[in-house]
């Protein structure tokens, strides 16, 4: 019986992709399968992405099993953070004045340092491993990482063609080619920054199955179905929060956008907490990001065990993966129950860019997507946030966008919050004003995206805060089914902004 392991530890995202529908066994931090060492039981091992390095939850038992499989010549495939784990070292100090270096297992002779990319990619292939035998064409997949600069002497496997790096646009030649995959000298240990590489490139699956002399392919796929049921049975990893079965009568999913009046408002934190709370109630939740930076929805996918879909990034201008019309078409024929859409910056940022659409407001306008409008109060105070939210809400109404609730985030004073509620309600058509309190742990390392995020820490705080402070049933009732209507042209947008018509 052929057995292919999938690492399942805190910080991993084992539902993020299907891994070719190949995993047949779960490998936890103790490195055991049914009480026996994974290196004795498995024919191959897949290490998924996530925050394995920041979470520091790959312990010595599992490390020993990974090294043993590598030295025995068995295939070990590390994707994104899994690749980092197999490397020599990783500098995770992107916003630190000095490097913050974590040690890898030293199986693949490369080092990592900060580099942000989040593109759908094609990658050139170098024939240095069994995995790419006969792969003449470029491989397909996607990037979504913060620490993706790969340097070293290992044999190369892939160079990805990416459009943007570190939030910058393309270079004068229209693309960058970056080192995105390597292997050890024997070619059996493979690391790549390309997600979806086993899902989108059939030759690689064929090569892996041939390498391990897989006899009964149908048996592998049958056991993979059971693995997926196991993944979907729990919210997050090692939380013991079971997902109930829910009988949903709607034929189409309901949509809700989380928009804001600016960056650092807490959109990612709130979307993450809502995603976990909804999954805990049995809903199948789709998570989308407006614009290209799909890293923001990964914490939510960590809780839901959802896939990063080809439509998870909504295009604005030339940035992103899938236009809003095709995205809604695909979602409306999917088996998702609720779609949460995370905005980008302010809902109006980019509104007057002639590359239409270029803002969250235009995406919401296109399909009359209902919105919860939020603001962090940590910079200008509660009073300033209230004034700003009133202005934003009234402008959104001019654009025909239904604002279902206004939410003040990081509230430090209950009394001041209660004072601004009448002002908001008397000056908008919004009836529901919500708040989330300021939490002290927001200053902890490992808690803040873009610094050093640990998914198990970030998601636990997000879900607790949402469930303890918001009525989830009320939030669910704000979502509604939508159909794509139109993308407004630049002159229509300007007219609505100036004249409200």
């Amino acid at each position: 019986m052929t057995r292919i392991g999938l690492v399942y530890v805190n910080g991993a995202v084992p539902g993020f992709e299907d891994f070719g529908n190949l995993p047949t066994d779960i490998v936890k931090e103790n490195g055991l399968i049914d009480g026996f060492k994974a290196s004795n039981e498995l024919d191959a091992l897949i290490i998924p992405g996530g925050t394995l390095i920041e979470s520091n939850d790959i312990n010595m038992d599992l490390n020993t099993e990974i090294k043993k499989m590598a030295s025995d010549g068995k295939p070990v495939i590390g994707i994104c953070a899994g690749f980092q784990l197999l490397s020599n070292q990783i500098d995770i100090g992107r916003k630190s004045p000095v490097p913050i270096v974590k040690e890898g297992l030293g199986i693949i002779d490369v080092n990592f340092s900060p580099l942000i990319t989040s593109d759908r990619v094609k990658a050139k292939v170098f024939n240095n491993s069994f995995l790419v035998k006969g792969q003449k064409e470029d491989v397909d997949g996607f990037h979504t990482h913060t620490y993706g600069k790969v340097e070293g002497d290992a044999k190369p496997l892939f160079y990805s063609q990416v459009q943007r790096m570190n939030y910058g646009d393309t270079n004068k030649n229209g693309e960058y080619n970056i080192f995105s995959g390597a292997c050890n000298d024997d070619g059996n240990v493979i690391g790549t920054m390309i997600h979806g590489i086993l899902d989108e490139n059939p030759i690689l699956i064929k090569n892996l199955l041939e390498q391990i002399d897989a006899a009964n392919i149908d048996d592998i796929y049958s056991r993979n179905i059971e693995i997926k049921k196991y993944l979907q049975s729990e919210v997050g990893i090692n939380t013991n929060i079971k997902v109930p079965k829910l009988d949903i009568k709607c034929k189409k999913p309901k949509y809700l956008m989380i928009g804001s009046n600016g960056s650092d408002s807490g959109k990612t934190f709130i979307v993450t907490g809502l995603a976990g709370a909804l999954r805990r109630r049995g809903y199948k939740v789709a998570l989308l990001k407006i614009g290209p930076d799909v890293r923001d929805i990964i914490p939510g996918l960590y809780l839901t065990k959802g896939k990063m879909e080809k439509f998870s990034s909504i295009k604005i201008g030339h940035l992103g993966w899938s236009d809003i019309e095709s995205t809604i078409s695909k979602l409306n024929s999917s088996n998702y129950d609720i779609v949460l859409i995370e905005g980008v910056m302010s809902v109006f940022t980019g509104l007057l860019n002639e590359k239409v659409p270029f803002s969250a407001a235009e995406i919401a306008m296109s399909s009359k997507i209902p919105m919860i409008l939020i603001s962090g109060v940590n910079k200008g105070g509660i009073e300033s946030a209230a004034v700003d939210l009133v202005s934003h809400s009234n402008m959104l109404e001019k654009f025909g966008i239904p604002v279902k609730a206004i939410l003040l985030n990081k509230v430090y004073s209950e009394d001041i919050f209660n004072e601004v509620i009448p002002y908001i309600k008397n000056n908008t058509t919004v009836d529901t004003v919500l708040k989330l309190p300021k939490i002290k742990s927001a200053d902890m390392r490992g808690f803040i995206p873009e610094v050093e995020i640990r998914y198990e820490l970030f998601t636990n705080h997000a879900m607790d805060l949402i469930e303890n402070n918001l009525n989830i049933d009320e939030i669910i009732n704000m979502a509604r089914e939508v159909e794509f209507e139109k993308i407004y042209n630049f002159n229509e947008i300007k007219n609505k902004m100036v004249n409200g018509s």
Side-chain angles (χ1 to χ4, degrees):
M1 182 173 64
T2 302
R3 304 181 76 171
I4 301 170
L6 178 65
V7 170
Y8 187 86
V9 297
N10 288 356
V13 284
F16 198 61
E17 49 197 298
D18 288 324
F19 308 105
N21 298 310
L22 296 178
T24 63
D25 290 88
I26 292 293
V27 184
K28 296 189 176 181
E29 57 274 3
N30 61 8
L32 301 179
I33 298 175
D34 299 327
F36 298 96
K37 292 183 177 180
S39 59
N40 293 334
E41 301 297 308
L42 296 177
D43 298 287
L45 179 66
I46 297 171
I47 311 171
T51 58
L52 303 180
I53 305 304
E54 297 95 318
S55 297
N56 216 21
D57 272 328
I58 302 282
N59 67 20
M60 288 304 299
D61 292 332
L62 183 52
N63 285 343
T64 298
E65 294 306 296
I66 294 170
K67 290 179 178 178
K68 182 67 166 56
M69 290 188 68
S71 65
D72 287 347
K74 293 182 177 181
V76 176
I77 301 174
I79 300 172
C80 201
F83 184 12
Q84 294 170 353
L85 178 68
L86 297 170
S87 73
N88 295 323
Q89 63 179 38
I90 311 94
D91 171 14
I92 60 171
R94 195 179 84 80
K95 288 193 173 182
S96 171
V98 295
I100 301 173
V101 176
K102 302 278 188 176
E103 297 298 320
L105 299 181
I107 302 173
I108 300 178
D109 187 15
V110 295
N111 299 323
F112 281 85
S113 56
L115 176 71
I116 296 169
T117 65
S118 56
D119 290 336
R120 294 282 315 169
V121 301
K122 287 188 173 293
K124 299 185 184 303
V125 178
F126 293 78
N127 188 20
N128 285 316
S129 168
F130 76 88
L131 188 68
V132 294
K133 180 182 177 182
Q135 181 70 45
K136 305 299 183 184
E137 304 294 328
D138 292 350
V139 295
D140 297 309
F142 63 93
H143 284 207
T144 172
H145 53 249
T146 305
Y147 312 109
K149 185 175 183 180
V150 186
E151 297 177 301
D153 297 325
K155 292 181 178 181
L157 281 184
F158 307 114
Y159 272 80
S160 292
Q161 303 158 35
V162 302
Q163 299 301 308
R164 304 172 78 237
M165 296 193 305
N166 295 331
Y167 306 113
D169 216 330
T170 55
N171 64 7
K172 63 181 180 181
N173 297 319
E175 65 182 29
Y176 300 93
N177 290 292
I178 62 172
F179 191 8
S180 61
C183 62
N184 65 345
D185 289 342
D186 293 331
N188 66 299
V189 182
I190 294 112
T192 180
M193 300 308 292
I194 306 170
H195 291 279
I197 200 160
L198 293 174
D199 295 334
E200 302 187 31
N201 305 284
I203 291 175
L204 273 59
I205 296 176
K206 173 177 172 289
N207 289 341
L208 176 57
L209 292 173
E210 287 181 353
Q211 182 72 11
I212 60 179
D213 295 322
N216 191 337
I217 308 302
D218 289 339
D219 179 62
I220 290 174
Y221 293 144
S222 177
R223 284 183 287 139
N224 179 259
I225 292 172
E226 296 306 310
I227 289 298
K228 287 182 177 175
K229 288 180 180 177
Y230 175 83
L231 295 181
Q232 291 298 320
S233 69
E234 182 183 33
V235 178
I237 294 179
N238 297 326
T239 63
N240 293 317
I241 301 173
K242 298 302 179 183
V243 177
K245 291 184 179 180
L246 189 65
D247 185 19
I248 303 293
K249 302 298 184 183
C250 299
K251 293 182 179 179
K252 296 179 181 178
K254 295 184 177 181
Y255 294 70
L256 185 63
M257 183 182 293
I258 308 302
S260 72
N261 63 344
S263 297
D264 194 33
S265 57
K267 291 187 295 291
T268 296
F269 190 78
I270 291 168
V271 168
T272 298
L274 284 173
L278 291 168
R279 188 67 188 132
R280 187 173 195 164
R281 286 156 177 77
Y283 290 92
K284 186 170 174 55
V285 186
L287 297 175
L288 308 182
K289 174 67 181 181
I290 296 176
D293 199 357
V294 289
R295 292 177 306 152
D296 289 345
I297 61 174
I298 300 177
L301 294 174
Y302 176 80
L303 289 175
T304 66
K305 307 282 184 39
K307 281 184 65 177
M308 181 69 78
E309 304 278 12
K310 290 184 178 180
F311 51 77
S312 291
S313 161
I314 301 175
K315 290 185 75 170
I316 47 173
H318 64 290
L319 305 174
W321 299 357
S322 174
D323 65 83
I324 184 62
E325 182 175 7
S326 61
T327 296
I328 288 177
S329 175
K330 290 171 184 174
L331 278 164
N332 282 352
S333 59
S334 73
N335 64 345
Y336 286 108
D337 303 314
I338 292 182
V339 181
L340 295 180
I341 304 174
E342 179 175 340
V344 56
M345 303 178 75
S346 161
V347 291
F348 296 121
T349 301
L351 185 69
L352 297 182
N353 190 313
E354 293 195 34
K355 296 176 183 176
V356 175
F358 212 81
S359 68
E362 289 163 86
I363 296 300
M365 285 170 63
S366 74
S367 312
K368 300 297 183 289
I369 300 170
M371 182 183 298
I372 296 178
L373 181 63
I374 72 172
S375 176
V377 304
N378 52 309
K379 291 184 177 179
I382 296 172
E383 302 89 342
S384 177
V387 172
D388 203 7
L389 286 168
V390 165
S391 175
H392 272 67
S393 178
N394 290 334
M395 183 61 72
L396 287 168
E397 184 178 4
K398 284 186 177 182
F399 282 86
I401 298 168
V403 179
K404 295 295 185 179
I406 281 175
L407 188 153
L408 282 79
N409 189 27
K410 309 175 189 177
V411 169
Y412 50 82
S413 169
E414 184 88 15
D415 290 340
I416 298 176
F417 170 75
N418 288 330
E419 290 290 340
V420 302
I421 292 176
Y423 166 75
I424 294 172
K425 289 186 174 182
N426 291 337
N427 289 279
T428 69
T429 60
V430 180
D431 293 325
T432 305
V433 182
L434 308 171
K435 71 173 176 63
L436 289 172
K438 180 180 179 181
I439 53 175
K440 295 180 180 178
S441 56
D443 294 326
M444 294 169 56
R445 285 204 70 89
F447 192 79
I448 306 172
E450 291 292 295
V451 178
E452 182 188 337
I453 188 170
R454 294 176 56 187
Y455 288 154
E456 77 283 0
L457 177 64
F458 183 87
T459 59
N460 178 61
H461 280 287
M463 192 161 68
D464 282 351
L465 193 74
I466 291 295
E467 293 197 310
N468 291 332
N469 291 276
L470 298 181
N471 182 328
I472 303 303
D473 290 332
E474 183 181 29
I475 301 297
I476 291 169
N477 288 333
M478 295 176 187
R480 72 175 184 89
E481 295 179 14
V482 305
E483 293 287 350
F484 175 80
E485 296 179 7
K486 63 177 286 190
I487 293 294
Y488 289 80
N489 66 43
F490 185 62
N491 288 329
E492 288 176 310
I493 292 166
K494 283 200 302 182
N495 189 52
K496 281 180 177 292
M497 190 168 189
V498 174
N499 301 316
S501 61

